Amino acid sequence: MSSSEPILTVDRLSVRLPPGADRTHAITEVSLSVAENELVCIVGESGSGKSMLANTIMRLLPESVTTDGGRMLFGGRDLCTATAAEMRRIRGADIAMVFQEPMTALNPLRTIGDQIGEVLDIHTDLSKADIRSRVQSLLSDVNIPDPLRAAKAYPHELSGGQRQRAMIAMALALDPKLLIADEPTTALDVTTQAQILKLIRELQQRRKTAVLFITHDFGVVAEIADRVVVMQHGVVVEHGPAKQVLRNPQHPYTRQLIAAVPPVAAPLPRKLSDETILALSGITKTYRTGGFLGRGARVTHAVRDVSLTLPKGATLGIVGESGSGKSTLARCIIRLLDPDAGSILIDGQDWARLSRGEIRGRTRQMQMVFQDPFASLNPRRKAAELVAQGPIIHGTPRHQALAEARELFELVGLDPSAADRFPHEFSGGQRQRIGLARALALKPAVLVADEPVSALDVSVQAQVLRLLTDLRERLGLSIIFITHDLRVAAQICDLVAVMKDGVVVEHGLTGDVFGRPQHPYTQALLEAIPGGDFARTAQN
Amino acid sequence: MGPVKRYFRSPAAVLGLVLLLIVIGMALSAGYFYPRDPLALAGRPLIWPFANPRFLLGTDNSGRDIAAQIFHGARISLLIGGVATLIAVTIGVMVGALAGFYGGWIDNVLMRITEAFQTLPNFVLLLVLVAVFGSTLTTVTIAVGIVAWPAPARLTRAEFLSLRSREFVQAGRTLGMRDTQLMLREILPNALPPVIVYAGVVMAVAILLESALAFLRLSDANVASWGNLIGLGRDVLRVQWYVSAIPGVAILITVLAVSLVGQGLNDALNPRLKQR
């Protein structure tokens, strides 16, 4: 493969950021090449400059950001010096791009067929009928079920995976020499992700396209890459054939990223307490929307008859894909939502029957950590105040609560001197630590964590998970841990429950469920983990 | 960078503040420069501006000093604008917060009432209120406040609707906060910036509404307001246009200043805009 002529050669490319940014260059002297029929992955965490590189190749940079030295040779031409008109001909026809979020990349007011047809209409002289049949063959190429109907559908009428298939069909419409895919599977569920990855790999091999695939996930790399380019802070720290980099990483940053891809197998089982701290039985939550006097109403069974127990000091993982009802269940447990039926027993007290006022007095027993570290902290409060809020509500004098907040800062690994800063002055991982400190300030017995690490970079994810494990030991916490990522669940949970369409389909010890999955859905989930084989073999 | 520093980075905001300070300065110094009753006869009627050094801005059709009326009128305009805005924003924020936070039938009832107020043309409603309750300074101010509350209410409701489901509000709930604490301490500070900016608009509208009333001679005739002066000038508009034009410019400058300050405050108070 490496013997064939490179389609794109990036040579010591630098991109300058406007003054006032956190560094002078987004990309510094990056060199890489992509050959025909080759899939190159660019891996890096947020801020590594990997998306900026993709936009530079497409010459889609904001005006304040400029290339600053280097060349990008594509088909014997330097893209850095191409005119705007030349770039318009190259984009779409020679280099195509697939974005992370298909919903925002597609025009919501036009049908899928119309939007794919437009690409052909602009760049070719095909007749209307020819365009229509090309659109059909493209849609069947990307394995969309019922391509005739999909062509007439609007973006919101398709599922996330189908939308991404349509985006790929659009990108491939003109047989581009190079396809740039910018995190195309990050917004998708794990089973859908596996299908899309397989599709991209197949299409690439059938059409001999060169693919530049941008991702943050080494699991994805293990799944599809021929060669890997690892980026950190705008610099290429390591590159080489995928197998070599994965098996034998040279740069410490690469090693750190690979280590952060957790093995799927569960850690050694811990001894679980016989004492149950939280017992759920028959939790049911149904949403009814629309409909007047019951006519035409849509009923959604978000959670159906869920019964689980959490032993004292254990971590119970609730895993499932989007729409499985796991977040609704979490919100029912902590009574942000009122369950329709069932009981939530903590210390012999049924939380499902308590009134809102009674819950307010008992919030010390159970606390929650939220998913989004940006949305879950009030932007107008200082970090120390956020953490001290809970104890102040429950009657701790203000100065004492603030002093305790500083101690908690140390506990969750934050600098206590940062306590006077506002949330936007912290990074995502630090914010999640503040959220954790806020929950711990009330010294809860049970912690409900709703996707606490899914918005974080992998290396930060690993740190926060270590912190959680450590705190669990030190404070004797019992944790309900909601996640869509089975690798994360395998890392931290003693017990897991797999949810699908509001129902727990399988639950038990993590080692049992992940090692010998009984339910077909659990098996499908485990099968779909990107780089699953790599992760399984790497630990041996 | 603190909010004060950020405010002063914007030239428009600084200009607005300077203009507003000039108007406030006029209001405060009116008693010093023009200690006599501004509505008392001072000299020959209809002296053009700059024609007589005693009357720098001339006199109106009954021989009263225009400059004195402009200085004293600044007090009235700021008073009416300020108090009416306070009334409108207070009612608006309370209604909007309750409707947005609780939703359901509370929202339905409050919003139907708001719509009832909005469907009536502002000025007609104002005329009715003044016709019923009389046209003293107090009733005019309250009437303007009552007319202007629906817009801040809708704005506050929209902010509350989007903020109440945010995770930090849910976090506050799981910490055990009461509804009032959630509304006042968590949501309101985040919902206020657009309302503060809009308060500038409300204040401008309040000043204009009072002027329009005065132009129709329906405002309190016993106080020296800019609107009253414009109303008087109406009789001599074609020749001695300055009688109406001078208070008109004063209103224009005040309205502009208030709007610029409101916008500047929004940019300065919002810490998320820091990076821009």
Side-chain angles (χ1 to χ4, degrees):
Chain A
M1 270 180 282
S2 53
S3 58
S4 62
E5 194 73 358
I7 298 266
L8 171 80
T9 310
V10 176
D11 183 24
R12 294 196 305 278
L13 181 73
S14 295
V15 173
R16 177 177 279 282
L17 285 170
D22 60 342
R23 58 179 193 246
T24 59
H25 287 79
I27 299 171
T28 315
E29 304 226 328
V30 164
S31 300
L32 59 90
S33 67
V34 194
E36 193 189 16
N37 194 16
E38 185 181 42
L39 200 152
V40 175
C41 271
I42 301 179
V43 202
E45 296 185 292
S46 48
S48 63
K50 57 191 195 305
S51 284
M52 194 64 100
L53 178 62
N55 288 337
T56 311
I57 295 168
M58 287 297 258
R59 288 273 304 277
L60 291 171
L61 291 176
E63 265 176 38
S64 54
V65 180
T66 49
T67 52
D68 176 25
R71 294 181 307 164
M72 299 184 286
L73 291 176
F74 178 80
R77 204 167 5 180
D78 184 3
L79 295 182
C80 287
T81 57
T83 64
E86 282 170 345
M87 278 316 295
R88 270 201 298 279
R89 278 195 297 276
I90 291 173
R91 276 183 217 131
D94 291 334
I95 307 180
M97 197 154 173
V98 179
F99 297 92
Q100 173 171 352
E101 184 36 84
M103 194 63 205
T104 52
L106 288 166
N107 183 342
L109 292 179
R110 297 180 57 195
T111 61
I112 299 289
D114 208 17
Q115 296 186 52
I116 300 175
E118 189 184 27
V119 182
L120 295 163
D121 195 33
I122 291 171
H123 287 277
T124 65
D125 303 324
L126 294 175
S127 69
K128 285 244 182 304
D130 286 344
I131 287 180
R132 247 194 316 267
S133 66
R134 260 315 286 284
V135 168
Q136 281 307 312
S137 71
L138 281 165
L139 285 173
S140 41
D141 268 3
V142 294
N143 304 335
I144 280 196
D146 198 354
L148 271 175
R149 206 178 51 88
K152 291 201 193 81
Y154 289 91
H156 70 268
E157 295 174 316
L158 300 180
S159 71
Q162 287 173 349
R163 278 198 288 271
Q164 199 57 289
R165 284 172 197 273
M167 280 299 297
I168 293 169
M170 195 188 296
L172 296 177
L174 298 165
D175 268 324
K177 295 193 190 73
L178 175 65
L179 176 69
I180 300 177
D182 188 359
E183 303 255 12
T185 58
T186 308
L188 304 174
D189 275 329
V190 56
T191 45
T192 322
Q193 171 176 18
Q195 291 164 9
I196 297 285
L197 288 179
K198 196 161 148 254
L199 172 73
I200 290 179
R201 192 61 171 154
E202 273 172 18
L203 288 172
Q204 180 260 328
Q205 282 166 350
R206 192 169 354 133
R207 295 175 175 241
K208 311 260 180 264
T209 318
V211 179
L212 201 56
F213 193 104
I214 293 167
T215 181
H216 66 276
D217 188 340
F218 252 105
V220 171
V221 175
E223 199 77 10
I224 60 170
D226 292 321
R227 281 196 302 128
V228 192
V229 175
V230 184
M231 284 184 76
Q232 184 191 24
H233 305 316
V235 183
V236 172
V237 295
E238 183 162 1
H239 63 99
K243 283 205 177 69
Q244 189 183 321
V245 173
L246 286 167
R247 292 279 168 236
N248 190 14
Q250 298 301 315
H251 194 274
Y253 181 68
T254 316
R255 280 193 213 133
Q256 187 192 333
L257 280 184
I258 292 178
V261 178
V264 193
L268 289 175
R270 300 186 306 150
K271 172 125 181 55
L272 296 178
S273 162
D274 296 332
E275 199 182 333
T276 299
I277 188 152
L278 172 70
L280 310 175
S281 75
I283 300 286
T284 299
K285 177 76 185 171
T286 310
Y287 290 111
R288 291 181 173 78
T289 50
F292 179 63
L293 297 175
R295 269 181 302 166
R298 269 178 49 192
V299 178
T300 315
H301 299 281
V303 176
R304 261 190 290 188
D305 196 18
V306 169
S307 303
L308 293 167
T309 53
L310 175 65
K312 196 167 186 184
T315 302
L316 168 64
I318 298 176
V319 297
E321 297 188 294
S322 52
S324 63
K326 55 191 193 306
S327 277
T328 306
L329 177 63
R331 280 170 167 68
C332 283
I333 296 173
I334 195 122
R335 279 294 300 275
L336 275 172
L337 293 171
D338 298 327
D340 298 331
S343 68
I344 306 159
L345 283 174
I346 303 174
D347 272 351
Q349 184 72 252
D350 186 359
W351 269 47
R353 305 235 183 296
L354 296 179
S355 72
R356 287 234 172 270
E358 288 169 317
I359 297 277
R360 268 203 295 276
R362 287 182 173 76
T363 51
R364 277 176 181 279
Q365 286 181 306
M366 187 151 54
Q367 277 297 306
M368 183 151 178
V369 180
F370 293 84
Q371 170 174 10
D372 186 346
F374 292 82
S376 62
L377 302 176
N378 188 339
R380 288 175 188 277
R381 280 186 193 285
K382 290 178 177 162
E385 268 182 82
L386 283 165
V387 175
Q389 249 176 342
I392 291 176
I393 292 166
H394 288 274
T396 310
R398 195 181 160 74
H399 61 94
Q400 189 190 335
L402 284 170
E404 283 172 9
R406 275 164 212 277
E407 286 169 27
L408 278 165
F409 262 61
E410 218 149 340
L411 184 71
V412 297
L414 284 170
D415 184 0
S417 67
D420 286 329
R421 288 197 260 152
F422 284 101
H424 68 265
E425 296 171 77
F426 291 92
S427 71
Q430 288 172 327
R431 274 185 245 209
Q432 205 54 299
R433 285 167 196 264
I434 298 175
L436 191 56
R438 171 176 62 189
L440 294 178
L442 284 175
K443 304 188 179 66
V446 179
L447 191 67
V448 179
D450 184 11
E451 302 262 12
V453 296
S454 58
L456 306 175
D457 274 331
V458 274
S459 59
V460 184
Q461 228 174 41
Q463 291 166 15
V464 173
L465 286 177
R466 257 200 307 279
L467 173 66
L468 263 179
T469 325
D470 177 43
L471 290 175
R472 179 180 67 188
E473 308 289 332
R474 280 162 66 183
L475 307 177
L477 281 174
S478 313
I479 304 176
I480 294 209
F481 193 98
I482 315 280
T483 182
H484 69 280
D485 191 336
L486 274 69
R487 294 176 294 187
V488 169
Q491 240 175 326
I492 187 167
C493 300
D494 303 306
L495 299 156
V496 281
V498 182
M499 278 187 84
K500 182 181 195 297
D501 301 331
V503 182
V504 173
V505 295
E506 185 167 1
H507 68 101
L509 289 172
T510 309
D512 293 344
V513 173
F514 287 174
R516 290 177 294 281
Q518 301 300 315
H519 195 277
Y521 181 67
T522 317
Q523 290 161 358
L525 278 181
L526 285 163
E527 193 57 36
I529 293 174
D533 298 331
F534 166 67
R536 268 187 282 270
T537 47
Q539 48 169 335
N540 299 333
Chain B
M1 198 167 17
V4 178
K5 221 171 166 185
R6 253 177 284 143
Y7 184 92
F8 282 101
R9 257 202 335 185
S10 155
V14 174
L15 176 69
L17 187 65
V18 169
L19 290 176
L20 190 63
L21 285 178
I22 290 175
V23 176
I24 292 172
M26 280 166 61
L28 292 177
S29 63
Y32 176 76
F33 287 117
Y34 301 95
R36 293 179 52 213
D37 179 4
L39 296 180
L41 291 189
R44 223 157 31 80
L46 298 175
I47 303 174
W48 278 77
F50 310 115
N52 183 335
R54 263 188 65 211
F55 308 112
L56 210 54
L57 296 178
T59 56
D60 67 7
N61 24 359
S62 21
R64 298 181 292 199
D65 188 348
I66 291 180
Q69 292 190 59
I70 293 292
F71 270 67
H72 283 271
R75 290 183 171 182
I76 302 301
S77 286
L78 287 179
L79 182 73
I80 290 179
V83 176
T85 305
L86 199 66
I87 295 171
V89 170
T90 309
I91 302 176
V93 165
M94 284 199 303
V95 170
L98 290 172
F101 187 80
Y102 286 108
W105 66 269
I106 298 181
D107 183 31
N108 264 328
V109 170
L110 290 175
M111 281 303 110
R112 292 305 86 76
I113 296 173
T114 313
E115 275 159 18
F117 270 86
Q118 280 193 307
T119 45
L120 292 171
N122 271 355
F123 197 63
V124 175
L125 180 59
L126 184 61
L127 286 180
V128 171
L129 287 173
V130 171
V132 174
F133 297 107
S135 56
T136 63
L137 188 59
T138 320
T139 51
V140 168
T141 309
I142 294 173
V144 170
I146 287 176
V147 164
W149 70 265
R154 296 206 80 105
L155 199 59
T156 312
R157 172 179 173 266
E159 288 291 314
F160 266 68
L161 272 180
S162 85
L163 287 167
R164 72 163 179 197
S165 55
R166 293 277 177 87
E167 286 190 342
F168 72 83
V169 180
Q170 296 188 349
R173 210 186 271 286
T174 59
L175 288 176
M177 285 190 196
R178 289 167 189 288
D179 287 353
T180 45
Q181 285 174 314
L182 286 174
M183 274 195 272
L184 296 177
R185 296 171 50 90
E186 295 296 302
I187 304 182
L188 192 60
N190 288 290
L192 268 189
V195 181
I196 290 175
V197 178
Y198 197 76
V201 178
V202 173
M203 185 157 176
V205 169
I207 293 173
L208 289 173
L209 279 176
E210 191 276 331
S211 307
L213 270 186
F215 183 77
L216 298 174
R217 297 183 188 157
L218 288 169
S219 184
D220 195 337
N222 301 316
V223 294
S225 86
W226 294 340
N228 279 339
L229 192 54
I230 295 179
L232 277 178
R234 199 173 64 180
D235 299 335
V236 290
L237 190 61
R238 284 207 284 177
V239 186
Q240 281 87 16
W241 49 267
Y242 63 87
V243 180
S244 292
I246 292 170
V249 169
I251 291 173
L252 177 79
I253 289 176
T254 312
V255 169
L256 180 70
V258 170
S259 310
L260 289 178
V261 169
Q263 185 63 50
L265 276 181
N266 177 51
D267 295 346
L269 287 177
N270 197 337
R272 278 165 296 186
L273 293 178
K274 254 187 194 174
Q275 276 91 23
R276 278 208 196 155

